[in-house]
Coordinates of all heavy atoms in Angstrom, one line a residue:
P437 N -26.3 -14.7 -39.2 CA -27.4 -14.5 -40.2 C -28.5 -13.7 -39.5 O -28.7 -13.8 -38.3 CB -27.8 -15.9 -40.4 CG -27.3 -16.7 -39.3 CD -26.1 -16.1 -38.8
Q438 N -29.2 -12.9 -40.3 CA -30.2 -12.0 -39.8 C -31.4 -12.8 -39.4 O -32.1 -12.5 -38.4 CB -30.6 -11.0 -40.9 CG -29.5 -10.0 -41.2 CD -30.0 -9.0 -42.3 OE1 -31.1 -9.1 -42.8 NE2 -29.1 -8.1 -42.6
K439 N -31.7 -13.9 -40.1 CA -32.9 -14.8 -39.7 C -32.4 -16.2 -39.7 O -31.7 -16.7 -40.7 CB -34.0 -14.6 -40.8 CG -34.7 -13.2 -40.7 CD -35.8 -13.2 -41.7 CE -36.5 -11.8 -41.7 NZ -37.6 -11.7 -42.6
A440 N -32.8 -16.9 -38.7 CA -32.4 -18.4 -38.7 C -33.2 -19.2 -39.7 O -34.4 -19.0 -39.9 CB -32.7 -18.9 -37.3
P441 N -32.6 -20.0 -40.5 CA -33.3 -20.8 -41.5 C -34.3 -21.8 -40.8 O -34.0 -22.5 -39.8 CB -32.2 -21.6 -42.2 CG -31.1 -21.6 -41.2 CD -31.2 -20.4 -40.4
L442 N -35.5 -21.9 -41.4 CA -36.5 -22.8 -40.8 C -36.4 -24.2 -41.3 O -36.6 -25.2 -40.6 CB -37.9 -22.3 -41.2 CG -38.3 -20.9 -40.7 CD1 -39.7 -20.5 -41.2 CD2 -38.3 -20.8 -39.2
L443 N -35.9 -24.4 -42.5 CA -35.7 -25.8 -43.1 C -34.2 -26.0 -43.3 O -33.5 -25.0 -43.5 CB -36.5 -25.9 -44.4 CG -38.0 -25.7 -44.3 CD1 -38.6 -25.7 -45.7 CD2 -38.6 -26.8 -43.5
P444 N -33.8 -27.2 -43.3 CA -32.4 -27.5 -43.6 C -32.1 -27.1 -45.0 O -32.9 -27.2 -45.9 CB -32.3 -29.0 -43.3 CG -33.7 -29.6 -43.5 CD -34.6 -28.5 -43.0
A445 N -30.8 -26.8 -45.2 CA -30.4 -26.5 -46.6 C -30.5 -27.6 -47.5 O -30.4 -28.8 -47.1 CB -29.0 -25.9 -46.5
E446 N -30.7 -27.4 -48.8 CA -30.8 -28.4 -49.8 C -29.4 -29.1 -50.0 O -28.4 -28.5 -49.8 CB -31.2 -27.9 -51.1 CG -32.7 -27.3 -51.1 CD -33.1 -26.7 -52.4 OE1 -32.3 -26.8 -53.3 OE2 -34.2 -26.2 -52.5

Side-chain angles (χ1 to χ4, degrees):
Q438 295 181 356
K439 294 183 180 179
L442 300 178
L443 298 176
E446 296 181 359

